Amino acid sequence: MASEGEPGSQAQGAKTVAGTVPRLYQQVFEIVAGQIVQGVLAEGTRLSESGLAEQFGISRAPARQALCELEREGLLLKSSGRGYRVAKPKDKTFGDGAAVPGSGDEMRLTQLATWARIYGEVESEIAARTSFAGWRVNETELARYYDVSRTVARDVVARLQQRGLVRKDDRSRWIAPAMTPEHVGELYELRWLLEPVALEKAASRLPPELLPKIRERLDAAISSAETLTGPDLDRLEEDLHVTLLGHCENSPMMQAISLPQALLIAHRFLYRWMPRLFGAEPFLPEHLDIVQKLEAGHVTAAADALRRHLQVSRDRAIDRIHRVTQEVHPEDLPYLEKL
């Protein structure tokens, strides 16, 4: 998983949910979407990972994710050769109906803090490897690998800590703990204690269009379950567990929830390799049941359904991690030392 997450993460018009780390691909998505719908990029224009990465001064990982999101929104089409081509222009809205930014925002990327340029890739590299072992994160080697200062490397690691991916051990070393069955079980237990409460708090604050859009995506996913990819599953997970819960507006609670949600980051890697491990992905009808209960105004029942969903998801996650580690072997990285 050598990428900044996978396509689909927080993808509703690429808007960032409060309390999460901003993603570089989202900014690229918004800028290119604006250029397409405003005619700056004409129908048929070809776009590629390498071209987008060079244009914005970013790695190919976020460029790839931005292109996948643009295709998902109908703004790009897969080219018969390699890359994409701009689709026939549509209305100047996308995602949840928000207006897209214009090409004048292109310089915004050049103003990003250096840590933001590399954070997504580092997050994904570490999350991928925690399925196999625990790791020590070496700040000095991280800075050398990405040719950045120690201060930038420290900023990246601090944000990894906020996301629950790393923590300090008793020798003040940064450790990314392994996703062992015991650790996964502990994280899921935290989730089923906290997330239902956050759901109840968020229910009255949800934008009126959010639940119908999530339900539509779930209906579409269930009807075409055999074609779903890892990125599709990742997006559907974040619809419920990040976007919807993000309306809780209890900052300390959301901070507490963000720690066990390191599982969602690890799942991007797992879904990439085994998106249909269980045949038809079992979380889809479970998510749909929760959303339908919320739409009907049965908030307590929805919270109970979310709790049950997380409890049964624990064993599925452990099984998925076990099977993936039997088949996938990521390459070594100089800033990660196996424990």
Side-chain angles (χ1 to χ4, degrees), residues 51 79 101 112 129 175 228 237 295 306 308 320 323 327:
S79 177
L112 278 178
R129 286 159 179 79
I175 302 299
L228 292 178
E237 286 273 41
E295 286 187 300
L306 175 57
R308 291 192 299 273
R320 199 185 298 269
R323 296 200 197 186
E327 299 185 19

Side-chain angles (χ1 to χ4, degrees), residues 22 24 53 78 88 111 113 153 158 222 224 253 256 279 306:
L24 187 55
K78 274 281 192 182
K88 184 176 181 180
Q111 300 165 0
I222 291 171
S224 58
M253 178 174 291
L306 175 57

Side-chain angles (χ1 to χ4, degrees), residues 14 32 82 98 139-140 148 177 187 203 205 230 250 259 290 307 324 330 334:
V32 177
R82 298 183 64 181
E139 283 186 11
T140 301
V148 297
L187 292 176
R205 301 181 175 93
N250 181 322
L259 296 178
I290 295 164
R307 185 177 298 106
V324 167

